[in-house]
């Protein structure tokens, strides 16, 4: 294997230590502990694991975390009422509604109801708009985690051709927006690919940095990777009880210069950025920190 393995677990741990220091300093200044509330509707086992991991990361790093668990039979109106109550609760700084929601509930209606200043997932249209204008309150967790991995690994992003495969609102689209902005860890030339893209192999092969956010196990094969490219694998797929990414790791790691593993790559970074956003939400709420969008 020739590629350097980008150790997301170690990088996430380093960043979490800094966040814990910042949380302690905030607490010292204000007497307030940043508080994240996760809302989980139903019994999806994967969601339960994600929420549990987020909870324990909060606790380990000095943030408060509460789980609001609701039955799968909860109506859209009942869930909206919960979100509104959390919006009004001054003790709650960050609100996270774990997706997916049961089919009878419209996720867009619920996510639009979250107070944008408490929207630690950065899903609200106001936050997406601010992000696209380059003056965000929050950065979306997984794309921010990817960007931090690149920065911490010393990968030159400015001027690089980044190809993102996947255009979801959670990963591909916001990541493309972030990497094309002016600023550190950005200034890239970004191409976004999706299921209708022609010549996907050729486009992927032209990437200096290739990001796979597709949701199909081992989709990215060695012929899609330029020798020496950096490959970031966002995918999490369960195959025969094992977690695998969207990249065929064994073959691609022979060609790439650096690559993230699954697990232990992007995953731990996502939760780390959620911790950061919860601290930011608490700062916005309690210190009246001037938001860039208002300045
Ligand atoms: P979505 O299913 O919402 O989006 C997948 C994207 O991949 C779509 O834009 C789709 O195109 C595109 N795609 C699908 N098939 C192809 C194809 N054959 N060729 C080109 N493009 C294709 O997934 P998410 O963005 O939510 O998640 C992507 C992966 O990342 C999943 O494995 C998910 O589990 C993982 N994930 C990991 C996180 C982490 O913390 N590590 C966090 C969030 C997600 P189109 O739009 O045309 O349908």
């Amino acid at each position: 294997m020739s590629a350097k393995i980008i150790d997301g677990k170690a990088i996430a741990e380093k960043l979490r230590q800094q966040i814990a220091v910042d949380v302690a300093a905030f607490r010292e200044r204000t007497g307030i502990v940043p508080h994240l509330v996760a809302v989980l509707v139903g019994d999806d086992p994967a969601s339960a694991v994600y929420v549990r991991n987020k909870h324990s990361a909060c606790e380990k790093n000095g943030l408060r975390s509460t789980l609001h668990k609701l039955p799968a039979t909860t109506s859209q109106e009942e869930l909206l009422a919960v979100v509104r109550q959390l919006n009004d609760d001054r003790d709650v700084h960050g609100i996270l509604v774990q997706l997916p929601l049961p089919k009878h509930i419209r996720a867009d209606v619920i996510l639009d109801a979250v107070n944008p200043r408490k929207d630690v997932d950065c899903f609200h249209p106001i936050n997406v708009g601010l992000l696209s204008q380059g003056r965000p309150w929050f950065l979306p967790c997984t794309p921010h985690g990817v960007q931090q991995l690149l920065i911490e690994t010393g990968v030159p992003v400015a001027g690089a051709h980044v190809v993102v495969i996947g255009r979801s609102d959670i990963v591909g689209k916001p990541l493309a927006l972030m990497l094309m902005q002016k600023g550190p860890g950005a200034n890239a030339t970004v191409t976004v690919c999706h299921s209708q893209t022609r010549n996907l192999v050729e486009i992927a092969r032209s990437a200096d940095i290739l990001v796979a956010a597709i949701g199909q196990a081992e989709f990215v094969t060695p012929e899609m990777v330029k020798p020496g490219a950096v490959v970031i694998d966002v995918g999490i797929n369960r195959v025969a009880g094992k977690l695998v990414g969207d990249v065929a790791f064994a073959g691609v790691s022979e060609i790439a210069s650096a690559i993230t593993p699954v697990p232990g790559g992007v995953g731990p970074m996502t939760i780390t950025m959620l911790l950061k956003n919860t601290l930011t939400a608490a700062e916005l709420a309690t210190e009246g920190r001037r938001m860039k969008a208002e300045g």
Side-chain angles (χ1 to χ4, degrees), residues 10 20 33 74 77 86 101 115 153 166-167 183 214-215 217 224-225 278 281:
V33 181
T74 303
E77 268 315 308
L86 295 172
L101 289 169
N115 179 343
T153 313
R167 59 174 164 183
I214 308 157
M224 297 170 75
V225 178
T278 303

Side-chain angles (χ1 to χ4, degrees), residues 142 166-168 171 194-195 213-216 219 234-237 266-267 270:
T142 301
R167 59 174 164 183
S168 74
V171 189
H194 46 77
S195 64
I214 308 157
Q216 291 194 32
F219 180 90
V234 181
I236 302 176
N237 310 284
V266 175
T270 296

Side-chain angles (χ1 to χ4, degrees), residues 50 141-143 146 164-173 192-197 200 212-217 219 224 233-238 244-246 262 265-271:
Y50 291 143
C141 299
T142 301
V146 169
V164 181
I165 312 181
R167 59 174 164 183
S168 74
D169 289 336
I170 297 178
V171 189
K173 206 186 288 174
V192 180
C193 300
H194 46 77
S195 64
Q196 303 294 308
T197 298
L200 180 63
I214 308 157
Q216 291 194 32
F219 180 90
M224 297 170 75
D233 190 351
V234 181
I236 302 176
N237 310 284
R238 198 168 283 278
V244 280
D246 287 346
V262 177
V266 175
M269 296 297 289
T270 296
I271 296 183

Side-chain angles (χ1 to χ4, degrees), residues 9 34 38-39 59 71 79 134:
K9 225 172 141 194
V39 181
E59 303 269 297
L79 181 54

Side-chain angles (χ1 to χ4, degrees), residues 55-78:
H55 177 76
S56 89
C58 281
E59 303 269 297
K60 275 191 197 138
N61 293 284
L63 300 103
R64 187 173 153 212
S65 152
T66 305
L67 174 60
H68 208 106
K69 202 168 175 327
L70 297 164
T73 50
T74 303
S75 71
Q76 184 166 298
E77 268 315 308
E78 286 167 333

Side-chain angles (χ1 to χ4, degrees), residues 150 155-157 160-164 179 207-211 229-232:
L150 295 171
V155 175
V157 179
H161 183 208
V162 178
V163 173
V164 181
L179 296 182
D208 303 309
I209 300 169
L210 180 62
V211 183
V230 173
V231 178
I232 306 290

Side-chain angles (χ1 to χ4, degrees), residues 2 13 26 28 31 52-53 65 76 95 119 122 124 126 154 181 190 193 195 202 219 223 232 239 245 254-255 269 280:
S2 60
E13 188 47 46
F26 173 77
E28 186 80 23
R52 210 167 43 237
N53 289 344
S65 152
Q76 184 166 298
I95 302 170
D119 174 34
C122 196
H124 193 282
I126 286 186
Q181 301 286 356
V190 182
C193 300
S195 64
E202 273 166 52
F219 180 90
E223 67 271 15
I232 306 290
V239 177
E254 298 293 335
I255 290 164
M269 296 297 289
T280 301

